[in-house]
Amino acid sequence: MKRLILCLVLGAASATGAGAQEYTWKETRFHRVHLRNGNFVDGQLLRVTDVEILLEMNEGQIAFRRNMVDRVELMKIRTLGEKPKLDPPLIKPGPTTKATPKPTNLEGEPISDKSTKALYSPEPETPEGADLKSRTAQLLNRLRYSTPDQRDGLIEEFTRLPDQPAPYLADLLDTLSPEAASYVGMALIRMKDPDALPALARQLESGKPHVRSQAALIIGTTGNVDYAPRLRRLLADPSQAVRVAVIDALKQLGDYDSLESIIDLIMDSDAEIRVSATRAALELGLKYDSKPRVANGIKRALDGIVDPNRAEEVADLLRALGSTGLQEFSSKVASYLNDVEPDVRAAAASSLTTLAAPSSLDAILERMTVEQSPTVLVQLAAAARALKSQRAIDPLIEMLKSPDSRVQQSALITLRALTRQSFGVDPEGWTGWWEQARPGR
């Protein structure tokens, strides 16, 4: 399993006061979860286990399976006008990770130091009278041989092209390679020019999935809900990448009319689609006070799965149901604590931790006494900790006898939280104390 790499990123802006120059530092911290499909999600990291990563977002909590996550970064944004920098990772890359990858062009070809210097020696300035097409062609050629640290500057140069470049660049997307189109797309997002929308709408009909994806993502940043109906048609696109992009675009537009269609995608067989649809449905549900509608859609999806080979989907849906925060669905979640698949039981316990419904305590305690999977036991201990009930002390002391150190430590953490006592992982010490402290002994 890939290790998570936590990084600190410093970002920048400057402030000056009247008279003498003064600097005011403002700091914002959040976690960025990078998914293996290239997307990322920002929020506050709540919990990391062998099975999942739980993130707190404005619209609620969302869980990701570990095998869907590439890495997690701690983002630290400070205002002072300095370019963002990446500090050394707090957790060093594993032996299979390339510590210092060599620069490559957009085709993945290595660029030598000598050729890099030649390519990036200052070019003569383009005459002011040069037309938009020739200057765009020059930038695209430079982009082809650029290294990652130079591409942000080139993106900015696209935004400064003459003669209202956004419509032209939008029309150009269909002629570009996937990676070049993504950088031109970033420029269009920065420009936020509504005049590009007609061309972007045409690109939604492109025969190339990467073009449809880029067009959808850019439209999503414009805030123009008039284009939502055209995007909704692509929720059934044959390309998974396009469907993910469209879901994200509709979420950014805040299109309420898309909510039911997005809820239907929560039961999709593709994991990336399920995660994207869940995230979008939760955000739209929160925005329009429709969380029960979202939760009922997730429940319908769970009820519709009878194939035991779809355990992965069930686990995703259980985490999604927990992310709604609606305790009235805790009994539905608790019923999966007895599933034959450990991953499903772990997801149910994780969801119950998030819901923290007192009515689920009996089911959690009962499962703690018979569960054999270390991963599930760790999640059950967390659920018991969320409910803050001393009724969990006896099964937690029994968990200290487990040969698995993860189970011992999770039980110890919960015991300390419930009792304010500390006897290490020695079950005898805890038993002796509990016999004296037990209420009504």
Side-chain angles (χ1 to χ4, degrees), residues 28-48:
T28 303
R29 296 187 181 201
F30 58 91
H31 293 91
R32 176 163 290 174
V33 177
H34 291 264
L35 302 177
R36 291 186 177 178
N37 68 348
N39 294 327
F40 62 83
V41 185
D42 292 337
Q44 296 298 326
L45 195 65
L46 295 181
R47 185 171 66 249
V48 177

Side-chain angles (χ1 to χ4, degrees), residues 49-62:
T49 70
D50 291 341
V51 176
E52 67 174 10
I53 292 171
L54 184 64
L55 197 67
E56 177 76 44
M57 300 163 56
N58 289 335
E59 61 271 18
Q61 297 178 356
I62 187 167

Side-chain angles (χ1 to χ4, degrees), residues 181-238:
S182 72
Y183 287 110
V184 172
M186 292 177 196
L188 287 166
I189 288 173
R190 292 185 188 182
M191 284 187 270
K192 298 185 183 300
D193 187 347
D195 290 340
L197 282 168
L200 292 169
R202 290 193 295 272
Q203 298 291 23
L204 292 176
E205 309 299 324
S206 168
K208 301 174 181 178
H210 75 271
V211 175
R212 300 197 299 276
S213 298
Q214 281 298 319
L217 289 171
I218 299 165
I219 290 172
T221 65
T222 65
N224 193 324
V225 185
D226 292 341
Y227 285 83
R230 301 193 187 196
L231 290 171
R232 285 199 294 270
R233 291 199 293 266
L234 294 181
L235 286 173
D237 194 275

Side-chain angles (χ1 to χ4, degrees), residues 1-5 32-41 50-51 53 64-72 96-97 240-241 244 270-272 275-276 279:
M1 184 178 294
K2 233 177 225 186
R3 299 185 181 179
L4 299 178
I5 301 176
R32 176 163 290 174
V33 177
H34 291 264
L35 302 177
R36 291 186 177 178
N37 68 348
N39 294 327
F40 62 83
V41 185
D50 291 341
V51 176
I53 292 171
F64 300 96
R65 292 196 319 279
R66 284 286 293 264
N67 61 6
M68 296 174 59
V69 175
D70 178 61
R71 67 188 186 280
V72 177
T96 59
T97 304
Q240 179 247 38
V244 170
D270 183 272
E272 306 296 341
V275 169
S276 297
R279 187 167 65 245

Side-chain angles (χ1 to χ4, degrees), residues 126-141 154-172 176 184 187-188 191 193 195-196 199:
T126 305
E128 288 296 327
D131 63 18
L132 172 61
K133 291 184 180 180
S134 63
R135 294 184 67 177
T136 300
Q138 289 175 9
L139 284 177
L140 287 171
N141 187 55
L154 289 173
I155 292 169
E156 190 61 30
E157 289 192 48
F158 276 111
T159 69
R160 296 198 298 265
L161 285 168
D163 304 326
Q164 295 183 312
Y168 174 70
L169 292 177
D171 266 327
L172 207 61
L176 303 176
V184 172
L188 287 166
M191 284 187 270
D193 187 347
D195 290 340

